[in-house]
Amino acid sequence: MRATQFLIATQKETPADAVVVSHKLMLRAGLIRKMASGLYNWLPLGLRVLRKVEAVVRDEMDKAGALELLMPVVQPAELWQESGRWEQYGGELLRIKDRHDNDFCLGPTHEEVITDLVRNEIKSYKALPANFYQIQTKFRDETRPRFGVMRAREFLMKDAYSFHIGQDSLQATYDTMHQAYSNVFSRLGLDFRAVAADTGSIGGSGSHEFHVLADSGEDDIAFSSKSDFVANVELAEAIAPANTRAPAQEVFTEVATPGAHSVEDVAKLLNAELSQVLKTLIVKAAEDENGEQGLVALVVRGDHELNEIKAEKLPQVASPLTMASDAEINAAVGASAGSLGPKGLSFPVIVDRAAAVASDFVCGANKDGYHLTGVNWERDIPLPVVTDIRNVVAGDPSPDGQGVIEIKRGIEVGHIFQLGDKYSQAMKATVLDENGKQKVVSMGCYGIGVSRVVAAAIEQNHDDNGIIWPAALTPFDVALVPINMHKSAAVAEQCEALYQALQQAGLDVLFMDEAKARLGVMLADIELMGLPHQIIVGDRGLEAGNVEYKNRASGEKQDVAVADVVAFVKGQLSQ
Amino acid sequence: MRATQFLIATQKETPADAVVVSHKLMLRAGLIRKMASGLYNWLPLGLRVLRKVEAVVRDEMDKAGALELLMPVVQPAELWQESGRWEQYGGELLRIKDRHDNDFCLGPTHEEVITDLVRNEIKSYKALPANFYQIQTKFRDETRPRFGVMRAREFLMKDAYSFHIGQDSLQATYDTMHQAYSNVFSRLGLDFRAVAADTGSIGGSGSHEFHVLADSGEDDIAFSSKSDFVANVELAEAIAPANTRAPAQEVFTEVATPGAHSVEDVAKLLNAELSQVLKTLIVKAAEDENGEQGLVALVVRGDHELNEIKAEKLPQVASPLTMASDAEINAAVGASAGSLGPKGLSFPVIVDRAAAVASDFVCGANKDGYHLTGVNWERDIPLPVVTDIRNVVAGDPSPDGQGVIEIKRGIEVGHIFQLGDKYSQAMKATVLDENGKQKVVSMGCYGIGVSRVVAAAIEQNHDDNGIIWPAALTPFDVALVPINMHKSAAVAEQCEALYQALQQAGLDVLFMDEAKARLGVMLADIELMGLPHQIIVGDRGLEAGNVEYKNRASGEKQDVAVADVVAFVKGQLSQ
């Protein structure tokens, strides 16, 4: 491609609303342009990258035996009412009305549509397992779209749905797709991890997220320092500490802590370690047999965070997890949040494993402006139910017993999920089994955020000068850069010859053919756009029969004989 | 692809709501499934065809120098308000609100978005001409979606937009795109015509529609029997008849015609040819200098049809064309529609060229229940303004003077259009010209109905047994069909070997590998799905070292030696 026939839309300035580096670089390099909040145009340069992601995803899906189809963006409300999601789904589901006042939505996902299709088309167990995928525009009406295409409203997604009789079949396809996902992200040259994930309210029995590791990631991922263990922080178990509780040494004392409401305030005021201050959170209890709903206190160390997913799975606790209001707390405890503690409460207390081995600790006195110090379980407060209700932190023992937890940040680019019969049951998707009986199928679903992959790749591969594309994602393999082409016929001729030769060798070349363009500007653009290989052609080099090669990632430069350029670049590409 | 790993979704019954043959066959062959009114799932078989259309379109657009990008489906109202189309566009524009109550629409077309993008990105004449295209989902909220994907609400479209300084540049790109469109439809194997088209209310100065010829087409296309002349019927000029008016022979008479309101009724009652009865239509006149709007009578022969596009372009006539109401007619004429004629009217009359050479004709008497016979221009009524205001009909002289008009039906699959500055003026899309002055750019737009092409191809290529795909569109090149594979190891082995060999030769093979499937059912499915080449493998043939080859289009069968099959099929494909 000649630059004069292409749209190079690089920018020096970073728009003010771009926070993360991928968003900044995608705007500056001219990959995307914002049309409206959460809505982006993919410029020719960006679309080339997006199509490369699509091609790898499509190839691996085909190899995994999934069949490509295409379902509509606009979906009728009836199907979502059948699954129950028309009511359940929040404001991210953009509900619309057509000219006849019928209800539709813009699909954020296609479980209902595919389930409807399969229940109509597949009637026998003989046609199962079946696995269908599409690469299609999705819409999610984010309250606060941000980070460019990372959290846009309209985006491109690969979604697949598999159908089965029995768990074994689902597990087999799930494993195949797990491998296919690993292949996709490996081929794209990304450093990623498949992370055990929570199945959340969607139900089902198995789920993995695929994360590209990057400091700007929105998710925390827990690794073992010694083993293969990896899990979403929210899902990793914080196992019971090896140490037992130290014997009580201090005197139980009530102290005034005026104005100290947070655990940090209290620790500072009392000159205590944050880990010595226990914090108490009060949540709604699960309904009892009479449908009444009391309260439950959850106690974790001051340096730990409550894990809401773990908490709401407890039988004593209401799901979804609901914090008690100030009024409810005051009515039940006689004190406000900021002075709460586990002592003397009239409702159940659940204490985290780490907090349960604390001794001589600090906690709220359940009396506004007062805390207790030198508190000890059993001596001062009966030891309540002990279980894991916190997020793991770096340094925790790994749940598999090997090494300690390390935490890195990740960007979720894929998610695979065993749905079980959540949709097929609600929508009556059945087939005749071997015995001629109607049987509800089980399902898996498998997503890849195609547009998000582009952003994640940049988060992981960039420097101060711009993007550094992995080979599989680069919009052009090579940049061909003339020096003062308008002054030198030799440079112009040699560039034309190399342009043809590199293309004939099957390379995607961006020829910076604007004769009067300044070298520094061109090179800065190419670095920004992240093209991995640069060939710079000038009179001085040509006199010695050479051009200059520069590698974007390493920054290394070297002279290459004109006659060897094509072979040299092909060699670089195959590395 | 093995049939057991594919989704063959053929159906014997045609759903009741399918009227046209492409809709019937797309459902029956399992290319598409209806999800809701005007919303279709593309099944794996159909998507393979759709992707082939896409690939050819993309290749020709790239060759024409257009740059691919991708614009959002969901578009902000602000841009449509700028162009004025937010108000002008009818109910086909699906207007929606997001969760923050902001207005958006689902894009039926992307002029506003691309104009917004270009005015922001292109600042200098040096970057022009530029031509951008996308292949993207569109939405048009049809009142009555019908004919399957031919007039669906959600559909796939290739749309391109070019930007220019000056008409010469626009014309040059327009010509390039005209050629690219011809290449696309030629490569797809379709019998098509590029037809001069009306530029309608959108303005601009040049437009061609690309029509696939098929009896079920919604548009009438006028051809010359002798020359290359071709135009939309609405646009073809009905030139002045060669014959002059015959001398008057009959006596001017007023006759009672009770109950005869239509020209057919009148002709029958008076025993006259339809061409001898003139019909008079009364429409609103263009506003005069004082802003007042009178009436105009339009007179055409009884066997001709008023051409509304021609009529509303007349300076005397209001645009858009507006029929006068019954009350207005009665007030101005003193008679009702059904008894109107050109004699004695108090407002201007315009007569069609063919009607102007009629003599001894019949027309309404402007008196309810009466007509005039033996009427002659000049003798009985002053000859009014004469011009072309009717549709051409078969047998009319061709406007280019060569041969006569023939009329065929066509399906519009592409449209190219010189927009001029309609959008760029309204949205202030300017660049600096060579003299450093801001200049409004001019634009062209170019559409191909990608999903519609699939339907049009079927309309043109089918028989009683099903679809007959042109080579460029077929979902699979070859069907490999075993006879009684579950009973014959030789058949099974030979099929496996041929399946591998055909694939290695680069062919897309559908291997009907369901061991117990009945031959007749498989062959019927393959005919229905339209695969162009069939290889049938049975014990009897194998004993002689042969398989049977059948050509879908011709129906011809022949034996081919096993050893020659791959070469033979490749030979067939290259024909």
Side-chain angles (χ1 to χ4, degrees):
Chain A
M1 179 66 69
R2 292 171 191 273
T4 51
Q5 293 172 9
F6 195 65
L7 181 70
I8 293 182
T10 50
Q11 296 180 331
K12 283 199 176 168
E13 305 300 325
T14 303
D17 66 342
V19 179
V20 297
V21 70
S22 61
H23 188 192
K24 290 177 186 173
L25 288 175
M26 289 183 78
L27 290 167
R28 287 194 51 216
L31 299 173
I32 56 168
R33 282 296 180 266
K34 181 173 166 178
M35 183 183 67
S37 175
L39 300 173
Y40 289 87
N41 292 303
W42 286 81
L43 301 186
L45 191 76
L47 187 62
R48 283 180 159 246
V49 181
L50 193 68
R51 292 275 186 252
K52 291 208 167 180
V53 179
E54 272 189 54
V56 170
V57 169
R58 184 170 281 124
D59 187 53
E60 289 294 337
M61 289 300 104
D62 291 345
K63 285 179 180 161
L67 294 173
E68 189 174 3
L69 44 61
L70 190 65
M71 297 178 276
V73 174
V74 175
Q75 305 180 8
E78 286 74 13
L79 294 180
W80 286 71
Q81 283 154 354
E82 268 195 79
S83 75
R85 291 209 294 178
W86 186 256
E87 308 298 335
Q88 292 158 15
Y89 216 105
E92 289 182 10
L93 182 69
L94 188 58
R95 296 161 177 89
I96 62 179
K97 280 181 189 293
D98 74 358
R99 68 191 298 168
H100 299 304
D101 219 33
N102 293 320
D103 287 311
F104 290 84
C105 65
L106 296 190
T109 173
H110 280 71
E111 280 85 359
E112 284 80 1
V113 177
I114 192 74
T115 304
D116 177 53
L117 184 65
V118 165
R119 72 180 167 184
N120 292 327
E121 298 305 322
I122 296 186
K123 305 290 189 188
S124 161
Y125 73 98
K126 290 182 197 166
L128 298 184
N131 190 2
F132 299 101
Y133 80 97
Q134 65 174 349
I135 298 178
Q136 175 63 303
T137 301
K138 306 281 184 190
F139 196 91
R140 213 170 274 170
D141 199 7
E142 299 277 352
T143 311
R144 201 163 66 86
R146 58 193 182 280
F147 308 152
V149 298
M150 192 100 88
R151 195 167 286 279
R153 297 202 283 181
E154 188 174 323
F155 53 97
L156 203 60
M157 188 164 163
K158 189 283 301 177
D159 46 329
Y161 307 90
S162 68
F163 296 84
H164 310 270
I165 291 287
Q167 176 61 24
D168 289 353
S169 170
L170 171 54
Q171 187 66 46
T173 296
Y174 185 85
D175 293 344
T176 301
M177 292 297 270
H178 191 295
Q179 183 60 52
Y181 273 47
S182 297
N183 297 348
V184 166
F185 299 117
S186 297
R187 283 176 62 181
L188 294 176
L190 301 175
D191 184 13
F192 73 96
R193 296 291 185 284
V195 178
D198 181 54
T199 53
S201 61
I202 202 169
S205 50
S207 172
H208 285 84
E209 293 165 0
F210 287 75
H211 286 265
V212 167
L213 300 183
D215 294 339
S216 61
E218 289 188 280
D219 292 291
D220 282 325
I221 301 167
F223 295 78
S224 160
S225 61
K226 287 202 174 155
S227 73
D228 284 344
F229 175 83
V230 53
N232 191 306
V233 157
E234 299 191 326
L235 201 66
E237 184 184 0
I239 62 173
N243 55 317
T244 50
R245 204 181 313 136
Q249 295 188 324
E250 297 181 12
V251 178
F252 176 87
T253 312
E254 183 177 291
V255 293
T257 50
H261 295 297
S262 69
V263 284
E264 288 80 7
D265 291 346
V266 172
K268 195 173 174 190
L269 183 70
L270 302 178
N271 198 24
E273 294 290 325
L274 210 49
S275 60
Q276 279 301 109
V277 185
L278 302 195
K279 55 186 172 189
T280 302
L281 298 112
I282 299 184
V283 301
K284 296 280 186 80
E287 287 185 4
D288 66 15
E289 290 161 359
N290 304 320
E292 307 213 350
Q293 198 176 20
L295 300 176
V296 178
L298 303 172
V299 180
V300 296
R301 271 182 14 193
D303 58 337
H304 287 158
E305 272 184 19
L306 179 72
N307 180 309
E308 299 193 359
I309 290 171
K310 292 174 180 174
E312 80 177 14
K313 283 185 178 164
L314 297 175
Q316 300 95 326
V317 171
S319 175
L321 192 75
T322 312
M323 292 293 160
S325 68
D326 287 347
E328 287 167 328
I329 293 171
N330 265 295
V333 182
S336 300
S339 300
L340 302 177
K343 185 168 171 67
L345 293 175
S346 59
F347 46 83
V349 177
I350 295 169
V351 63
D352 180 65
R353 287 166 173 167
V357 297
S359 54
D360 296 333
F361 60 80
V362 176
C363 64
N366 293 330
K367 181 174 159 190
D368 283 341
Y370 287 86
H371 277 75
L372 305 174
T373 66
V375 189
N376 285 277
W377 297 114
E378 295 183 300
R379 189 191 74 177
D380 306 319
I381 312 176
L383 185 66
V385 173
V386 177
T387 189
D388 171 26
I389 55 171
R390 69 171 172 98
N391 288 333
V392 291
V393 294
D396 277 344
S398 175
D400 68 351
Q402 299 180 60
V404 295
I405 291 287
E406 293 175 358
I407 290 178
K408 290 187 182 176
R409 297 187 78 81
I411 300 166
E412 187 188 331
V413 288
H415 197 163
I416 60 177
F417 208 102
Q418 298 189 20
L419 287 169
D421 64 1
K422 176 180 163 71
Y423 293 92
S424 46
Q425 185 76 52
M427 297 180 67
K428 301 184 185 61
T430 62
V431 296
L432 288 178
D433 71 7
E434 286 173 300
N435 304 313
K437 286 193 179 168
Q438 292 291 351
K439 201 150 187 179
V440 173
V441 299
S442 55
M443 289 172 61
C445 70
Y446 316 89
I448 290 181
V450 174
S451 25
R452 181 177 255 223
V453 165
V454 178
I458 295 172
E459 291 290 339
Q460 200 176 68
N461 300 279
H462 67 273
D463 63 14
D464 289 347
N465 294 333
I467 301 166
I468 305 172
W469 288 115
L473 286 172
T474 185
F476 296 98
D477 300 316
V478 192
L480 180 63
V481 189
I483 302 175
N484 289 330
M485 192 163 70
H486 61 303
K487 293 184 184 167
S488 166
V491 169
E493 269 172 40
Q494 192 55 66
C495 280
E496 280 294 337
L498 281 172
Y499 180 53
Q500 303 301 335
L502 288 163
Q503 285 185 304
Q504 276 161 29
L507 303 180
D508 242 335
V509 188
L510 181 63
F511 176 15
M512 303 298 282
D513 67 337
E514 207 190 314
K516 291 185 184 175
R518 282 167 46 212
L519 180 64
V521 172
M522 286 191 286
L523 292 179
D525 278 351
I526 286 162
E527 297 269 306
L528 180 57
M529 294 189 288
L531 308 192
H533 307 286
Q534 306 166 17
I535 303 288
I536 301 146
V537 181
D539 272 326
R540 199 180 308 175
L542 286 182
E543 281 165 22
N546 290 334
V547 299
E548 185 179 76
Y549 165 81
K550 183 179 174 189
N551 186 289
R552 173 69 182 89
S554 69
E556 284 169 23
K557 300 177 182 180
Q558 68 184 95
D559 285 342
V560 178
V562 169
D564 300 338
V565 168
V566 173
F568 179 84
V569 174
K570 287 192 83 170
Q572 292 289 322
L573 283 172
S574 65
Q575 273 172 20
Chain B
M1 180 66 70
R2 292 171 191 274
T4 52
Q5 293 171 8
F6 195 65
L7 181 71
I8 293 181
T10 51
Q11 295 180 332
K12 283 198 176 169
E13 305 300 325
T14 303
D17 65 343
V19 179
V20 297
V21 70
S22 61
H23 188 193
K24 290 178 187 172
L25 288 176
M26 288 183 78
L27 290 168
R28 287 192 52 216
L31 299 174
I32 57 167
R33 282 297 180 266
K34 182 173 166 178
M35 183 183 66
S37 175
L39 300 174
Y40 288 87
N41 292 304
W42 286 82
L43 300 187
L45 191 75
L47 187 62
R48 284 180 159 245
V49 181
L50 193 67
R51 293 276 186 251
K52 292 208 167 180
V53 180
E54 271 189 55
V56 170
V57 170
R58 184 170 280 124
D59 187 53
E60 290 294 337
M61 288 301 105
D62 291 345
K63 285 178 179 162
L67 294 174
E68 189 174 2
L69 44 61
L70 190 65
M71 297 178 276
V73 174
V74 175
Q75 306 179 6
E78 286 75 12
L79 293 179
W80 287 70
Q81 284 155 353
E82 267 195 80
S83 74
R85 291 208 297 176
W86 186 257
E87 308 299 335
Q88 292 159 13
Y89 217 106
E92 289 182 8
L93 182 69
L94 188 58
R95 295 160 178 90
I96 61 179
K97 279 181 189 293
D98 75 357
R99 67 191 298 168
H100 300 304
D101 219 33
N102 293 319
D103 287 311
F104 290 84
C105 65
L106 297 189
T109 173
H110 280 71
E111 280 85 359
E112 284 81 0
V113 177
I114 192 74
T115 305
D116 177 53
L117 184 65
V118 165
R119 72 179 167 184
N120 291 326
E121 299 304 321
I122 297 186
K123 304 290 187 188
S124 161
Y125 73 97
K126 291 183 198 166
L128 298 184
N131 190 2
F132 300 101
Y133 79 98
Q134 65 174 349
I135 297 178
Q136 175 63 303
T137 301
K138 306 280 185 192
F139 196 91
R140 212 170 276 170
D141 199 8
E142 299 278 353
T143 311
R144 201 164 64 87
R146 57 195 183 279
F147 309 151
V149 299
M150 192 100 87
R151 196 167 285 279
R153 296 202 282 180
E154 188 175 322
F155 54 97
L156 203 61
M157 188 164 163
K158 189 285 301 177
D159 46 329
Y161 306 91
S162 67
F163 296 84
H164 310 270
I165 291 286
Q167 175 62 24
D168 288 354
S169 170
L170 170 56
Q171 187 66 46
T173 297
Y174 185 86
D175 292 344
T176 301
M177 293 296 271
H178 191 296
Q179 183 59 52
Y181 273 46
S182 297
N183 297 348
V184 166
F185 300 118
S186 296
R187 283 175 64 179
L188 294 177
L190 301 174
D191 184 14
F192 73 97
R193 294 292 184 284
V195 178
D198 181 54
T199 54
S201 60
I202 203 169
S205 51
S207 171
H208 284 85
E209 294 166 358
F210 287 76
H211 285 266
V212 167
L213 300 183
D215 294 340
S216 61
E218 290 188 278
D219 293 290
D220 281 327
I221 301 166
F223 295 78
S224 161
S225 61
K226 287 201 174 154
S227 72
D228 285 342
F229 175 82
V230 53
N232 192 307
V233 158
E234 299 192 326
L235 201 67
E237 183 183 0
I239 61 174
N243 54 317
T244 50
R245 206 179 313 134
Q249 295 189 326
E250 297 181 12
V251 178
F252 177 86
T253 312
E254 182 178 289
V255 293
T257 50
H261 296 297
S262 68
V263 284
E264 289 80 7
D265 291 347
V266 173
K268 197 172 173 191
L269 183 70
L270 301 179
N271 198 23
E273 294 291 324
L274 210 49
S275 59
Q276 280 301 108
V277 184
L278 303 195
K279 55 186 172 190
T280 303
L281 298 112
I282 299 184
V283 301
K284 298 278 186 80
E287 287 184 3
D288 66 15
E289 290 160 1
N290 306 319
E292 306 212 352
Q293 198 176 22
L295 300 176
V296 177
L298 303 173
V299 180
V300 296
R301 270 182 16 192
D303 59 337
H304 287 158
E305 272 183 20
L306 179 71
N307 180 309
E308 299 192 359
I309 290 171
K310 292 174 181 174
E312 77 178 15
K313 283 185 179 163
L314 296 175
Q316 301 93 329
V317 171
S319 175
L321 194 75
T322 312
M323 291 292 159
S325 68
D326 286 348
E328 287 167 328
I329 294 171
N330 264 295
V333 182
S336 300
S339 299
L340 302 177
K343 184 168 171 66
L345 292 176
S346 59
F347 45 84
V349 176
I350 295 170
V351 64
D352 181 66
R353 288 165 172 168
V357 296
S359 53
D360 296 333
F361 59 81
V362 176
C363 64
N366 293 329
K367 181 173 159 190
D368 283 341
Y370 288 86
H371 278 74
L372 306 174
T373 66
V375 188
N376 286 276
W377 298 114
E378 296 182 300
R379 188 192 75 178
D380 308 318
I381 312 177
L383 184 65
V385 174
V386 177
T387 189
D388 171 25
I389 54 171
R390 68 170 173 99
N391 287 333
V392 291
V393 295
D396 276 344
S398 175
D400 67 352
Q402 299 181 58
V404 296
I405 290 287
E406 293 176 358
I407 291 178
K408 290 188 182 175
R409 298 187 77 80
I411 300 166
E412 186 188 331
V413 287
H415 196 164
I416 60 178
F417 207 102
Q418 298 188 21
L419 287 169
D421 63 2
K422 176 179 162 71
Y423 293 90
S424 46
Q425 185 76 51
M427 298 180 67
K428 302 182 185 61
T430 61
V431 295
L432 288 178
D433 71 6
E434 286 173 301
N435 305 314
K437 286 193 180 168
Q438 291 291 351
K439 200 151 189 181
V440 173
V441 299
S442 56
M443 289 173 60
C445 71
Y446 316 89
I448 291 181
V450 174
S451 25
R452 182 176 254 223
V453 164
V454 178
I458 295 171
E459 290 291 338
Q460 200 175 69
N461 300 278
H462 65 272
D463 63 14
D464 289 348
N465 294 333
I467 301 165
I468 305 172
W469 288 116
L473 285 173
T474 184
F476 295 98
D477 301 315
V478 191
L480 180 63
V481 189
I483 303 176
N484 289 329
M485 191 164 69
H486 62 302
K487 293 183 184 166
S488 166
V491 169
E493 269 170 40
Q494 193 56 65
C495 281
E496 280 294 337
L498 281 173
Y499 180 52
Q500 302 301 335
L502 289 163
Q503 284 185 303
Q504 277 161 28
L507 303 180
D508 242 335
V509 188
L510 181 63
F511 176 16
M512 303 298 282
D513 68 337
E514 207 191 314
K516 291 184 182 174
R518 282 168 46 213
L519 181 64
V521 173
M522 287 191 286
L523 292 178
D525 278 351
I526 287 162
E527 297 269 307
L528 180 56
M529 295 189 287
L531 308 191
H533 307 285
Q534 306 165 16
I535 302 289
I536 301 146
V537 182
D539 272 326
R540 200 180 307 175
L542 286 182
E543 281 165 22
N546 289 336
V547 299
E548 186 179 76
Y549 165 82
K550 184 179 175 190
N551 187 289
R552 172 70 182 89
S554 69
E556 283 168 22
K557 299 178 184 180
Q558 69 183 95
D559 286 341
V560 178
V562 170
D564 301 338
V565 168
V566 173
F568 180 84
V569 174
K570 288 192 83 170
Q572 292 290 321
L573 283 173
S574 64
Q575 273 172 19

